[in-house]
Amino acid sequence: QVSALVADPEYFEVFSAEAARGRLFDVSDYRVPGGHPVAVLTHDAWARLFGQDPSIVGASVDLGGLPFTILGVLSETYRDPYGGANGAGNDLVIPAMMAGQVDPRGDDILTVRRWRTFGAVGKLSAGVTREAADADLKRVAAQLEGVDAVNRGMTAGVRPLNAAALAGIRGPALTLLGGAIVLLLIACFNVANLLLVRGAAREHELALQFALGAGRGRLLRLLAVESLVLALLGGLLGVGLASLALPTLLGLIPNQLPPTVDVRMDLPVLFVALGVSLTAGLVFGLVPAIRQGGRDLRSALSGGGRSVGSRRGERVRSGLIVFEMATATVLLVASALLVRGFQEIRSADAGFESENVLTLRVNLPPATYADGEAMARAAIELGERLSDVPGAEWAHAWGPGRP
């Protein structure tokens, strides 16, 4: 089974799609409903289904019981913004004029207004705001309400494509991001506290440098640079560990991410990781650096190298520990609530017995099953055959014309 996206020729222009082999369909393939049995393969489908066979261009493949000619293959950089079955990308793009030949509902999909199947996507012209486009689209929707009764109560709006594609995962993604930020804060508080302790142990060393002519500004820069180097090394180590763990983590995620979500380690990710690491090192490294820079280094030198934490230093370290414990508590409570919520969802009563119950979906080709009566007969026959499968206690199939 393959997934197909029906689109008009402008679809490729809007998404700047290019052909790696052959060509994409154009207006000449988009004139007569049902009269242009052509298709364009995605690069992934070309590799997965046909082993990157170059002779597939111009060949004929069976789709829904009808032969379609493959015009070309999309470039590897193309990303399907709509996706196919189970969140995976579509395998083919065919002209919308052929929708009736591959959709079980038949030709009505192009003529009957109750089929709300097609989506619209476009680029805003220069100088046009999203608010203006949204108002214009709502005006058109209001006019369409008077054209057909089926349009009453329907409206339209404009939203960014990324917001539409990521709508299903935005909440979980923000939750994970919040957890990562809390973990980063815990690590920063911990490192800042360690730098304070280390600075107290180096008090005599800093006093000697001050006595030899090093100004307070130079000592402050020295401590800040040390914290930045530590943060840079930690960031590089984190990026390396993330690169090694990424394939394993992606294997644990169900195949429900939008195709536009390309999870990988690349230069932008590297720059963001290093930027966050250096910023965290600078901000949290300045706390102990300023603390050490503000000490009375002469008294430290005259004290024979003994390092005794002042009450102020103790308060700073105690404050960092309090913040660290507070953020850790928030993270633990949030994690416990998430786990409890997940367990409650899994144990919720669905209203029916789901143990040992399996489902499947079969797409009947319109060329073979032309009307609802034929599909109903096929559903009855499928249910009877499934009932005869060894080990099956009960089976039922439904579809158009059969509840």
Side-chain angles (χ1 to χ4, degrees), residues 192-350:
N193 207 354
L194 292 176
L195 289 175
L196 274 176
V197 176
R198 183 172 181 269
R202 296 177 59 192
E203 196 170 84
H204 185 64
E205 172 194 343
L206 297 175
L208 285 176
Q209 295 186 34
F210 179 76
L212 294 174
R216 292 186 181 275
R218 182 176 179 180
L219 295 179
L220 186 64
R221 289 193 298 272
L222 172 64
L223 296 173
V225 168
E226 288 179 354
S227 64
L228 287 177
V229 171
L230 181 63
L232 180 61
L233 293 177
L236 291 175
L237 179 61
V239 169
L241 292 176
S243 300
L244 295 176
L246 185 60
T248 302
L249 294 176
L250 289 178
L252 300 176
I253 300 176
N255 190 24
Q256 294 178 348
L257 293 177
T260 50
V261 178
D262 187 13
V263 183
R264 59 178 176 174
M265 299 295 295
D266 52 12
L267 285 179
V269 174
L270 177 62
F271 290 148
V272 169
L274 294 182
V276 170
S277 299
L278 293 177
T279 302
L282 182 63
V283 172
F284 287 88
L286 281 179
V287 174
I290 294 175
R291 174 75 189 104
Q292 294 300 322
R295 283 180 178 270
D296 187 356
L297 298 178
R298 289 186 180 88
S299 62
L301 183 62
S302 63
R306 292 177 299 172
S307 177
V308 181
S310 65
R311 291 183 179 179
R312 181 182 176 187
E314 291 295 334
R315 286 197 298 268
V316 173
R317 289 196 293 271
S318 299
L320 290 173
I321 293 174
V322 169
F323 278 115
E324 185 178 350
M325 294 300 296
T327 51
T329 302
V330 170
L331 182 61
L332 288 174
V333 171
S335 301
L337 290 175
L338 284 174
V339 172
R340 181 179 178 182
F342 178 71
Q343 291 176 342
E344 290 183 353
I345 291 175
R346 292 195 62 183
S347 60
D349 185 8

Side-chain angles (χ1 to χ4, degrees), residues 148-165:
D148 196 306
V150 74
N151 294 328
R152 292 175 184 172
M154 302 297 294
T155 186
V158 175
R159 61 174 174 172
L161 182 61
N162 280 342

Side-chain angles (χ1 to χ4, degrees), residues 75-95:
S75 64
E76 194 171 0
T77 58
Y78 166 79
R79 292 290 181 271
D80 181 5
Y82 294 101
N86 299 321
N90 287 294
D91 302 308
L92 299 138
V93 183
I94 65 175

Side-chain angles (χ1 to χ4, degrees), residues 7-9 12 23-40 69 71 94-98:
D8 58 20
F12 301 114
R23 69 176 181 89
L24 310 178
F25 60 78
D26 52 31
V27 291
S28 64
D29 307 301
Y30 197 79
R31 293 175 179 171
V32 181
H36 306 280
V38 296
V40 176
T69 301
L71 293 181
I94 65 175
M97 288 292 182
M98 297 298 298

Side-chain angles (χ1 to χ4, degrees), residues 130-165:
R130 194 175 74 188
E131 290 74 16
D134 186 78
D136 190 50
L137 196 59
K138 282 182 168 55
R139 177 183 58 81
V140 174
Q143 294 175 352
L144 289 175
E145 284 192 271
V147 175
D148 196 306
V150 74
N151 294 328
R152 292 175 184 172
M154 302 297 294
T155 186
V158 175
R159 61 174 174 172
L161 182 61
N162 280 342

